[in-house]
Amino acid sequence: MRRPVRGIPLVVVASVVALALVGVFIRSFSAAESGGRPSAVLEVLAFVLGVWVPLFALIYACVRSRVAVVALAFCVGLSVNLVFLTHAMPAAAVTDNSSVFTFENSTTFSAPNSNMRQNYTPSGASTTCSVARASCIYSSDTFSTGQTINAGTSVADLYLTNTAPTITYRGGLAFSFDAIGCTAWRPQTAAEVAVGDVYIASCAFRGGSAVTITPPDGTWIPLTRIDNGTNLSIATFSHVVTNPSTEWGGSVNFALGSVQKGVGALSSFSGVDTTNPVDQQNGQLTASGTSHTALGVTTTAANDMLLTFHAVVGSTGSTNQWTPPAAMSERFDTASSTQGASTNLGMEGNELLLGAAGATGNQTATSAASGAGATKTIALRAATTCTVTATLKKVSPITLRASTSTTVASGTSIVMNTPAGTQQNDLMLVAIGWTGSANPTTPSGWQPITLATFDAPTLQLITYRRNAGSSEPASYTWTFGGTVGIVGWEGSYIGADMSSVQDVLAGNQFTSGTTHATGSLTTTQANDLIWAVYALNVVATFSTPAGMAAQGTVSGTGPTLAIFDASQPTIGTVGPKTNTSSVAGTGVNSMPSFKSGAGSVTTLGSATTTLGSVGSPTLQSVSISTSGTTFGDGDRLQLVVDGASSCNGSLSYDGAAQPSRLTVATTVPEGVVGLLLLAPALPIGLRCWKRRRP
């Protein structure tokens, strides 16, 4: 018999409950579909298990007064829906609805980075990426506008090895001065610097103990200073690199209390213990003459690097005036060379990689000039641990908003329509190819990037850029000084650094036949836009260069233009970029790069793990406190695994035994958390209702 519930027909109660469950169900699928629509079979199965089974159980409970069944029914229905909600994770592909990104040995998502692929299970043997002074970078596929990840804790499961490193001399420069400061030049390229490198700066100067010296900042730690009366001093400092992006190029200045002559040098080392770089140090004054001995030390650890510095007054002013200690490698030999010889100074620096701990013995160098001297000995301690940093980022590459193209079979001008939706601060790029001897007049506000002429009138190519203003006209016109055949392409790009947009340019290349290769360029910052433009003097189609996207081919009755672009995630060399045309012809190409804006890379979180000696791949789980973020079209997640220079190991991934991966933070949405409270409240409410029933 169907009994009413407090006078209300049971069918009405059941209908209300069913609608509530359907509401939760619809919301869960709406969230889940942000990462790709589930299959029809899955939808039907979830609907049956998540709505109708709990509903029938609820009806049965009401009729049979089974409070436990009611609670169970509600919890089952809620659980099924919450499973969908907590897996409502990007990215854009239909099957990508997982919060787990497994590293794959492929670069299809964002070359040259390896992939982070969702719903991927590695098999077979793993591959490795070196973490010694290098970055292992993994990128997801692209997200869609409005997709999000929540604030919380992301976990990078990394299979890492580390063996005892060897201290390595990375490079150095020496420089003479006659000033109120000692100049030490840092490494001059980004590739020469890594987290955990140790700089040793040495300054030899006249004036001795009467002269003060002040380091650039508190990160430069003074070591024991050696003063030879008022004649000569050697001051040395150590510094640990923590931010490679800002610690290369240019020089650092150690301020002196007065104008002095001297020599400044900076040497860079990897594999040094960054916590306690100096194991032992010593120094002494040496008598006037040509023989100058650096005192030995007794090291406390194996594999130290022994450094000696020898300085003498009264230098001849020439370089290469020292004969280094027999067992050591000379790294610099420099002298001041102004005014009289009696006021000059010379210094050399040497290194020797040691083995077991113990006494090193003295090291004697011979100077060409005779004079009072000073020597300094430093033993650098080898690292016993390795720090690996995992950084999660959102990368928003420069992307094409829209483009237009125009052909003119024969004419004196070409009208380029402004791409639809162009907004202020878009980077507007134009490429124009033509056959003929006349040249175009540049419209106001457009800056030429490059002009390439291949034996005019056979073929010519010119490219331009412009920062989009607050209100762009519908078109721009390029007028030629004669009748020519013209093709043109214009695109508007989002996300460029409009304050200093152009980075570097590959030289124009001239080609003949069906194979067409650009020159090469080396970017100066990460996430540049690489823009490759090919012109051919015949109508043809082009293959797409490796790692690039095709953005348009424009053909007229004469020349053809082909446009390709790519995002370059890291600083480095790009090119040559080669494609093949369907028809042989005379070609010319240009490949500039453009800087991304400051907002193109957002760091969501970073954390470190410290390794001792790990001989085989061992799982290290790194918990990263991650901020939430909302994605736009084309955005990617990027995980950077970076080992300090004290590391001598690798990251293993894409193997059955070492499935390194990233699990991003996920939480139950606020609007659903409240529903959790209804599950335990339901049986209590139903019991009270039964007791009060007449």
Side-chain angles (χ1 to χ4, degrees), residues 217-232:
D217 56 55
T219 65
W220 292 87
I221 307 303
L223 306 180
T224 302
R225 172 173 164 170
I226 308 300
D227 293 305
N228 195 332
T230 58
N231 282 325
L232 168 70

Side-chain angles (χ1 to χ4, degrees), residues 418 422 426-429 446 464-466 468 472 490-492:
T418 299
T422 296
D426 279 1
L427 170 62
M428 301 175 70
L429 298 177
W446 288 88
Y464 298 87
R465 62 178 173 86
R466 171 183 169 82
E472 286 294 321
E490 180 177 341
S492 293

